[in-house]
Amino acid sequence: MTEASPLIDRIALARHRTRAAGAPALFLHESARDEVHDRLGVVNKTFINPAVVTPFPQLWTGLLPGLTIVPDDDVLALDPGAHDLVIHAMALHWANDPVGQLVQCRRALKPDGLCLATCLGGQTLAELRAALGQAEIEVTGGLSPRILPMGEIRDLGGLIQRAGLALPVADSFTLTASYESALHLMRDLRAMGETNALTDRLKRPTRRGVMLRAAHIYGESYGDGARIPASYEIVTLTGWAPDDGQQKPLRPGSAAQRLADALDTRETRLND
């Protein structure tokens, strides 16, 4: 038996990111960074040994005192039990083993340390995905892998629990950017290092007819005649390294008061 190929071509991904480093189009990473900063501001805890996993270190330099910046690799350069905060910044959607990435973050945390991970969610680029798919079927009669499959928020939330983190929370928000056309959107994706790095992607340039037809379908289906929208869902995953002092869920049946009494209502039996 042959070993299955990884979903992501990490060599191609690194090449795309190198090309994007320093580009002004990194607004998604900047938005995720600002979201993390805001969340840390309401956490009643001072972090003295923070670390961030990021493909764009220049965006995080100087953000937190004593911050350790770690490259986004399959094996993270994090020392076990060395940090009270680990941020995995906008890279989890490109991981071949996302659970493994979070497990490495958990192992790097001290007890009761915080893990914050941001990544793109399943609603990202839904418009472009539909337009490209329809255009390729019309022009070539087939489909090829073009846009990274991204997890839905419920599935991504499950990764936190699978990684062994406590008190898991997953939530998201959607950014909508406006472009002149689908071709301008694709140029922006290239500038931020988010273009196709799937292992099974086409290794030759896409036919011009596919791109032009996709741009036409996009504008016709989603545009207003002048601009087109593009949706980016940013998911935030939160979990804590287990510690004896953390809150624990109550044992089933251990409630000291009936819910009906608390709601000042009458309890009725369900019909069999």
Side-chain angles (χ1 to χ4, degrees), residues 167 246-257:
L167 307 175
Q246 288 172 345
Q247 296 176 352
K248 302 285 191 304
L250 293 176
R251 179 175 52 83
S254 62
Q257 185 177 2

Side-chain angles (χ1 to χ4, degrees), residues 7-266:
L7 178 66
I8 309 300
D9 181 346
R10 297 286 299 184
I11 295 175
L13 178 62
R15 186 166 60 245
H16 295 170
R17 286 172 169 174
T18 299
R19 183 175 58 210
L26 297 178
F27 68 93
L28 289 181
H29 291 264
E30 291 170 350
S31 296
R33 177 200 61 196
D34 295 343
E35 177 72 10
V36 168
H37 188 261
D38 290 345
R39 287 171 183 256
L40 292 177
V42 298
V43 175
N44 188 25
K45 185 171 182 176
T46 299
F47 299 101
I48 59 175
N49 302 109
V52 61
V53 178
T54 175
F56 299 110
Q58 70 273 21
L59 296 180
W60 292 87
T61 302
L63 185 67
L64 294 171
L67 183 65
T68 299
I69 299 179
V70 174
D72 168 39
D73 293 322
D74 288 334
V75 178
L76 302 177
L78 292 168
D79 294 328
H83 303 283
D84 51 10
L85 169 66
V86 175
I87 303 163
H88 203 294
M90 292 296 286
L92 203 61
H93 54 282
W94 284 116
N96 280 312
D97 181 11
V99 176
Q101 290 284 300
L102 293 175
V103 167
Q104 292 180 71
C105 292
R106 176 180 60 77
R107 288 175 178 168
L109 287 170
K110 301 176 180 179
D112 202 35
L114 175 62
C115 176
L116 271 173
T118 58
C119 63
L120 293 177
Q123 301 307 306
T124 299
L125 298 178
E127 307 93 345
L128 181 61
R129 194 186 307 273
L132 276 173
Q134 182 179 337
E136 190 167 22
I137 289 173
E138 290 182 9
V139 175
T140 70
L143 276 173
S144 60
R146 293 192 172 275
I147 298 179
L148 176 71
M150 289 164 271
E152 298 297 333
I153 187 168
R154 178 178 298 180
D155 299 325
L156 292 171
L159 301 183
I160 290 283
Q161 292 177 301
R162 290 176 60 191
L165 290 159
L167 307 175
V169 176
D171 58 84
S172 70
F173 65 94
T174 300
L175 290 176
T176 302
S178 174
Y179 296 93
E180 290 183 37
S181 71
L183 299 178
H184 288 84
L185 162 60
M186 288 183 255
R187 184 176 65 187
D188 216 19
L189 292 173
R190 177 183 174 90
M192 68 176 79
E194 295 288 340
T195 45
N196 193 353
L198 294 169
T199 298
D200 292 334
R201 72 192 183 281
L202 286 178
K203 303 301 194 295
R204 60 180 185 276
T206 298
R207 289 168 57 173
R208 177 179 173 84
V210 172
M211 304 302 285
L212 294 178
R213 180 58 182 151
H216 178 76
I217 292 170
Y218 202 131
E220 204 172 53
S221 301
Y222 304 102
D224 59 6
R227 310 279 294 182
I228 60 150
S231 301
Y232 300 97
E233 183 187 21
I234 297 180
V235 176
T236 303
L237 307 176
T238 306
W240 296 80
D243 182 68
D244 291 339
Q246 288 172 345
Q247 296 176 352
K248 302 285 191 304
L250 293 176
R251 179 175 52 83
S254 62
Q257 185 177 2
R258 296 167 61 247
L259 181 61
D261 293 339
L263 298 176
D264 192 23
T265 188
R266 183 180 177 184

